[in-house]
């Protein structure tokens, strides 16, 4: 491949994430060269990512490689990369649900999918997990509609609702909704009391634990969690043990800050103030309070894939989320996260000895922010 000094890019926000979108035809196919290129584009490793397009936060240090469909049941292919900020690495082992909304918009605006009046369905094939997500984008016959009345926690203003259906994305990492074959598991790590967890692999692999298992109230700001080195070591030890038991030890040991499995600490509804605007989130609005941790830090929001997985978990009798939510059943759940609330419509049914996800849907907003050429520092390809 000819080594260019610049590449075309599109910057898009999807939900509470922001990413750099690149065309598959413009980037190298092998992951080692692609990783070097993305680190160059984002200005990593550097805490501020001052010499690149990165936003110095894991919610804004994300890449999407977009290409034509590879499966008959899809319209577009989408490879997600979580670009390291302090570490020279890119994690391709998971999907970003928020950016999936932007992937649907990008596919239409880039001519990969023809818009139609009302809504345009974009069947997005996430290459990381080899799963299909149906993205319904509001459109006219010629363009995407971005103006609307939907407000989501962690994003100022309002936008047009984009519906994402993750019911086909179950078992994204391990291939099984309940990878341990049970709804609760005891995890023991050296020097600590064992922790009771529920491990669910929906649109992402998530470990659920009660906040008090880690000495937390469940309403902490992310920076409070991040500043406690002993707490982070405890959480990472639990994540590492689950990863090893599920055959992810190679992935875990090859990265300084692995993204998966995610850890979500749960609490029954409580009042708290958001870490972004100080808004009061009242307990009577919520089914659960959630704090998400992975990649060495707590998240300011709840990931889209984690949200739909939590909705699935709430429908599985005996799981920790189901116990805290009350009687499971098909319904809309509302989860509180550090920047606000997020909703998911979920339905899970028991058929014989297996649980089957019938619905797992969220609404996001998305829009194109900028496009142009990014100039490279060199030695990337």
């Amino acid at each position: 491949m000819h080594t260019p000094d610049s590449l075309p890019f599109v910057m898009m926000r999807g939900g509470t994430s922001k990413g750099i979108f690149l065309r598959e035809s413009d980037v190298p196919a092998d992951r080692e060269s692609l990783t070097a290129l993305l680190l160059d584009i984002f200005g990593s490793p550097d805490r501020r990512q001052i010499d690149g397009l990165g936003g110095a936060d894991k919610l804004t240090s994300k890449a999407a490689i977009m290409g034509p469909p590879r499966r008959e049941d899809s319209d577009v292919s989408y490879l997600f990369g979580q670009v390291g900020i302090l570490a020279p690495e890119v994690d391709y082992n998971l999907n970003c649900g928020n950016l999936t909304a932007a992937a649907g918009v990008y596919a239409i605006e880039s001519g990969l999918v023809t818009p139609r009046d009302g809504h345009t369905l974009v069947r997005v094939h996430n290459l990381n997990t080899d799963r299909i997500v149906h993205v319904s984008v509001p459109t006219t016959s010629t363009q995407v509609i971005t103006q609307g009345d939907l407000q989501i926690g962690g994003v100022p203003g309002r936008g047009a609702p984009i519906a994402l259906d993750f019911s086909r994305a179950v078992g994204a990492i391990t291939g099984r909704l309940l990878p341990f074959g049970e709804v609760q598991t005891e995890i023991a790590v050296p020097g600590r009391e064992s922790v009771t967890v529920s491990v669910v692999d929906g649109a992402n692999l998530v470990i659920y634990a009660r906040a008090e298992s880690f000495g937390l109230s469940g309403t902490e700001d992310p920076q409070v969690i991040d500043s406690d080195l002993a707490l982070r070591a405890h959480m990472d030890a639990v994540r590492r043990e689950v990863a090893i038991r599920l055959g992810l030890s190679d992935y875990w040991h090859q990265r300084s800050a692995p993204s998966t499995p995610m850890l979500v600490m749960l609490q029954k509804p409580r009042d708290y103030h958001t870490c972004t605007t100080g808004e009061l989130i009242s307990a009577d609005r919520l089914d659960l309070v959630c704090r998400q941790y992975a990649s060495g830090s707590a998240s300011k929001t709840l990931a889209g894939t984690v949200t739909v997985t939590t909705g699935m978990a709430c429908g599985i009798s005996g799981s920790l989320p189901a116990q805290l939510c009350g009687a499971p059943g098909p319904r809309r759940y509302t989860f509180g996260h550090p920047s606000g609330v997020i909703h998911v419509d979920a339905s899970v049914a028991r058929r014989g000895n297996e649980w089957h996800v019938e619905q797992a849907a969220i609404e996001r907003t998305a829009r194109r922010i900028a496009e142009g050429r990014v100039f490279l520092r060199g030695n990337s390809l």
Side-chain angles (χ1 to χ4, degrees), residues 69-97:
R70 301 189 187 184
R71 286 173 41 167
E72 292 184 357
D73 58 348
S74 68
D75 299 304
V76 64
S77 64
Y78 153 53
L79 176 69
F80 169 68
Q82 181 69 55
V83 181
I85 298 176
L86 298 180
E89 58 192 23
V90 179
D91 197 336
Y92 304 101
N93 202 54
L94 72 165
N95 183 19
C96 174

Side-chain angles (χ1 to χ4, degrees), residues 276-320:
T276 48
T277 64
E279 176 191 356
L280 173 65
I281 304 298
S282 60
D284 58 10
R285 298 173 59 186
L286 306 174
D287 292 293
L288 278 176
V289 177
C290 302
R291 292 297 182 264
Q292 175 185 317
Y293 174 85
S295 305
S297 63
S299 178
K300 298 181 181 68
T301 62
L302 197 64
T305 55
V306 173
T307 299
V308 294
T309 302
T310 306
M312 298 175 194
C314 285
I316 300 174
S317 297
S319 73
L320 291 178

Side-chain angles (χ1 to χ4, degrees), residues 176 178-186 197-200 245 316:
R176 300 182 62 195
L178 294 175
F180 283 137
E182 57 189 8
V183 293
Q184 292 190 25
T185 303
E186 291 292 318
V197 303
S198 292
V199 180
V200 181
R245 290 195 193 184
I316 300 174

Side-chain angles (χ1 to χ4, degrees), residues 50-320:
I50 192 66
D51 203 25
L53 294 178
D57 186 290
K58 64 183 180 181
L59 295 179
T60 57
S61 190
K62 301 185 175 190
I65 313 302
M66 304 297 297
R70 301 189 187 184
R71 286 173 41 167
E72 292 184 357
D73 58 348
S74 68
D75 299 304
V76 64
S77 64
Y78 153 53
L79 176 69
F80 169 68
Q82 181 69 55
V83 181
I85 298 176
L86 298 180
E89 58 192 23
V90 179
D91 197 336
Y92 304 101
N93 202 54
L94 72 165
N95 183 19
C96 174
N98 279 289
L99 272 199
T100 303
V105 173
Y106 178 95
I108 297 169
E109 293 183 336
S110 301
L112 294 168
V113 175
T114 302
R116 55 187 300 176
D117 274 327
H119 288 83
T120 300
L121 175 64
V122 183
R123 300 171 299 172
V124 177
H125 176 201
N126 176 245
L127 299 180
N128 309 69
T129 60
D130 194 27
R131 295 294 189 270
I132 303 294
V133 181
H134 281 195
V135 183
S136 181
V137 182
T139 53
T140 68
S141 61
T142 59
Q143 64 184 5
V144 172
I145 298 171
T146 59
Q147 300 297 314
D149 295 325
L150 179 63
Q151 184 173 27
I152 60 177
V155 179
R158 299 174 184 271
I162 299 170
L164 294 96
D165 176 9
F166 285 89
S167 61
R168 299 164 185 80
V170 175
I173 306 299
T174 68
R176 300 182 62 195
L177 182 62
L178 294 175
F180 283 137
E182 57 189 8
V183 293
Q184 292 190 25
T185 303
E186 291 292 318
I187 300 296
V189 296
R192 302 278 188 173
E193 293 185 5
S194 63
V195 177
T196 301
V197 303
S198 292
V199 180
V200 181
D201 187 3
N204 211 326
L205 180 61
V206 185
I207 304 166
Y208 296 99
R210 294 176 183 269
E212 51 261 37
S213 295
F214 294 94
L216 298 174
S217 70
T219 60
E220 286 82 0
D221 280 1
Q223 61 183 238
V224 172
I225 296 172
D226 292 348
S227 64
D228 191 330
L229 297 180
L231 170 62
R232 288 165 51 197
H234 188 193
M235 294 188 294
D236 280 331
V238 172
R239 295 176 62 228
R240 183 185 302 110
E241 178 62 23
V242 171
I244 291 172
R245 290 195 193 184
L246 294 178
L248 300 174
S249 56
D250 287 345
Y251 159 78
W252 187 274
H253 291 119
Q254 288 169 0
R255 288 166 175 79
S256 62
S259 299
T260 188
M262 302 278 189
L263 174 62
V264 173
M265 291 161 285
L266 305 171
Q267 183 56 270
K268 291 183 178 180
R270 290 185 177 183
D271 292 350
Y272 68 94
H273 292 271
T274 65
C275 68
T276 48
T277 64
E279 176 191 356
L280 173 65
I281 304 298
S282 60
D284 58 10
R285 298 173 59 186
L286 306 174
D287 292 293
L288 278 176
V289 177
C290 302
R291 292 297 182 264
Q292 175 185 317
Y293 174 85
S295 305
S297 63
S299 178
K300 298 181 181 68
T301 62
L302 197 64
T305 55
V306 173
T307 299
V308 294
T309 302
T310 306
M312 298 175 194
C314 285
I316 300 174
S317 297
S319 73
L320 291 178

Side-chain angles (χ1 to χ4, degrees), residues 16-78:
T16 52
S17 293
K18 186 165 63 177
I20 303 301
F21 282 66
L22 303 167
R23 297 184 304 222
E24 182 182 89
S25 58
D26 291 333
V27 303
D30 71 281
R31 293 291 171 84
E32 183 177 352
S33 298
L34 176 59
T35 294
L37 173 65
L38 293 179
L39 293 173
D40 188 327
I41 289 172
F42 280 76
S44 294
D46 173 42
R47 186 179 299 278
R48 296 183 299 157
Q49 293 180 318
I50 192 66
D51 203 25
L53 294 178
D57 186 290
K58 64 183 180 181
L59 295 179
T60 57
S61 190
K62 301 185 175 190
I65 313 302
M66 304 297 297
R70 301 189 187 184
R71 286 173 41 167
E72 292 184 357
D73 58 348
S74 68
D75 299 304
V76 64
S77 64
Y78 153 53

